[in-house]
Amino acid sequence: MDMLTLSNVEKHFGEKQVLRDVTFSVPEHTVFGFVGQNGAGKTTSMKIILGLLCADGGEIRINGLPVRYGNTTTNRYVGYLPDVPEFYSYMTPGEYLGFCGKIAGMTEKEIKSRTEEMLCLVGLKGEKRRIKGFSRGMKQRLGVAQALFGRPKLLICDEPTSALDPVGRRELLHILESAKEETTVLFSTHILSDVEHICDEIAFLHEGRIVLQGSLEEVRKRKKEAAMEIETERAQDAKALRSVFPFLKGIGRNSLLLEDTKGMPDLLRFIADKNMAILRIERQEAALEDLFMEVVLNESVS
Ligand SMILES: Nc1ncnc2c1ncn2[C@@H]1O[C@H](COP(=O)(O)OP(=O)(O)OP(=O)(O)O)[C@@H](O)[C@H]1O
């Protein structure tokens, strides 16, 4: 089942159209990457999903129910982590989560067990420092704990990793990946390596339009031509191959890249004739970044 669906969503700010026919769906218990450059329309889409902005057209459903602007019924299914979460900084993380539980009307017993569970999930168990002494990464992790506290069916995170260092990013990505066991995660980002690490499905938004979507595998297959990597046992063989086939690129002492596979038969014949020892011939995985650039450039030309 799809936890979230957007169908033909449109949005203008004055004369400017910022979302055009945006259509995608997020299957239950997946991590979904909502990818786009600055200004692509990610935050606007998220605000519409949360009922905070009114779409000019189209339909959004969360857990099968339509989202209505200004009506927060569907938000009972949603946990939201803004890009810069705000806290009462004089509280400890346990006190803060307890406070959130009280506002949500949970019982003392429920609050205690959920606080422990969430602090454990985000690696803040036993943390007695006040939030004001927290690093950005710790604050972001606490934000996830708070967003997940009420057991939402859908967790929406707006650029959760963009301000974090590599360690903080890795920790947060790991938490989002583990969260999909109990919820569905939609996160916006422009960091494509984050998407490659944890997303099951992705949608690329470019100038308000979805230009590519599908599972990571499906999207990668869209790359027109995947290069082949060839690794020779001896460095001198790699050198010899490069001198005979100048279209080969050297990517290491023993490794070569063949970008246009039309040259493959001649190359293989030569390798066999010369009895060269080859350790590996492998299709190079298309990097999302190259793919994104390919799609974006095509869009700009057409
Ligand atoms: N309230 C507003 N009034 C007018 N234009 C707006 C408003 N909010 C956003 N925009 C414009 O809509 C477009 C999409 O903005 P949005 O914030 O949704 O993009 P984004 O993909 O989230 O970008 P970023 O990664 O920079 O946050 C931008 O051109 C932005 O300037």
Side-chain angles (χ1 to χ4, degrees):
M1 179 194 153
D2 291 328
M3 183 47 63
L4 169 70
T5 55
L6 278 79
S7 315
N8 317 106
V9 173
E10 305 269 333
K11 177 71 188 169
H12 293 77
F13 284 117
E15 292 289 291
K16 187 175 177 189
Q17 185 162 13
V18 291
L19 296 179
R20 296 157 195 268
D21 198 21
V22 171
T23 300
F24 65 85
S25 37
V26 179
E28 218 176 356
H29 295 292
T30 53
V31 179
F32 190 96
F34 191 37
V35 186
Q37 294 161 309
N38 291 336
K42 305 180 295 294
T43 304
T44 304
S45 306
M46 288 184 164
K47 284 187 180 165
I48 294 175
I49 294 168
L50 291 163
L52 300 173
L53 266 180
C54 185
D56 300 331
E59 192 192 48
I60 298 177
R61 285 181 178 266
I62 298 177
N63 199 27
L65 289 183
V67 173
R68 306 240 179 269
Y69 167 59
N71 175 333
T72 51
T73 318
T74 43
N75 283 354
R76 67 169 183 262
Y77 301 124
V78 182
Y80 176 56
L81 176 68
D83 49 354
V84 184
E86 298 286 343
F87 305 98
Y88 292 112
S89 56
Y90 58 86
M91 291 182 177
T92 65
E95 284 166 356
Y96 180 72
L97 292 181
F99 171 73
C100 296
K102 266 189 200 144
I103 291 178
M106 291 164 77
T107 64
E108 283 297 327
K109 198 172 154 212
E110 256 180 313
I111 290 174
K112 192 162 178 278
S113 71
R114 191 64 177 158
T115 298
E116 233 166 74
E117 203 179 339
M118 286 297 96
L119 290 178
C120 204
L121 175 80
V122 301
L124 291 172
K125 194 167 172 228
E127 182 57 65
K128 295 280 180 276
R129 263 179 293 174
R130 295 186 190 285
I131 300 168
K132 65 175 171 233
F134 276 21
S135 66
R136 281 181 114 142
M138 289 166 86
K139 281 186 183 164
Q140 213 68 335
R141 285 188 273 138
L142 179 59
V144 175
Q146 190 249 308
L148 287 175
F149 204 74
R151 301 180 198 280
K153 286 181 179 291
L154 177 65
L155 172 67
I156 297 180
C157 307
D158 195 356
E159 308 228 1
T161 55
S162 56
L164 303 184
D165 64 24
V167 175
R169 260 175 55 203
R170 183 168 293 208
E171 286 169 347
L172 197 88
L173 290 175
H174 179 69
I175 292 164
L176 294 183
E177 198 177 20
S178 343
K180 79 174 176 185
E181 278 189 24
E182 78 164 46
T183 187
T184 302
V185 181
L186 169 79
F187 82 100
S188 72
T189 187
H190 56 263
I191 306 173
L192 292 160
S193 59
D194 287 357
V195 172
E196 287 184 307
H197 276 120
I198 63 161
C199 289
D200 304 294
E201 304 252 338
I202 53 178
F204 280 166
L205 188 70
H206 179 59
E207 294 176 355
R209 209 192 307 264
I210 299 288
V211 289
L212 195 59
Q213 63 174 308
S215 70
L216 206 52
E217 241 173 56
E218 282 163 0
V219 166
R220 278 202 176 114
K221 276 190 200 139
R222 295 280 300 270
K223 179 114 173 76
K224 281 192 201 117
E225 180 83 61
M228 300 297 283
E229 227 179 294
I230 300 151
E231 191 182 351
T232 58
E233 189 173 70
R234 297 179 316 163
Q236 70 242 47
D237 286 347
K239 204 170 159 196
L241 285 171
R242 278 195 71 191
S243 65
V244 179
F245 302 99
F247 49 80
L248 288 172
K249 270 192 193 161
I251 51 169
R253 271 168 49 80
N254 296 36
S255 296
L256 301 162
L257 197 66
L258 175 67
E259 282 178 326
D260 184 345
T261 48
K262 279 202 281 294
M264 190 58 111
D266 285 347
L267 184 67
L268 290 179
R269 251 186 306 265
F270 184 84
I271 287 171
D273 284 350
K274 300 285 174 211
N275 232 349
M276 288 178 175
I278 299 297
L279 297 179
R280 188 170 58 93
I281 298 185
E282 199 170 64
R283 196 166 198 249
Q284 219 191 27
E285 281 217 322
L288 270 191
E289 193 147 337
D290 297 340
L291 192 55
F292 185 59
M293 289 315 293
E294 194 174 289
V295 172
V296 166
L297 287 178
N298 277 346
E299 282 285 311
S300 314
V301 170
S302 59

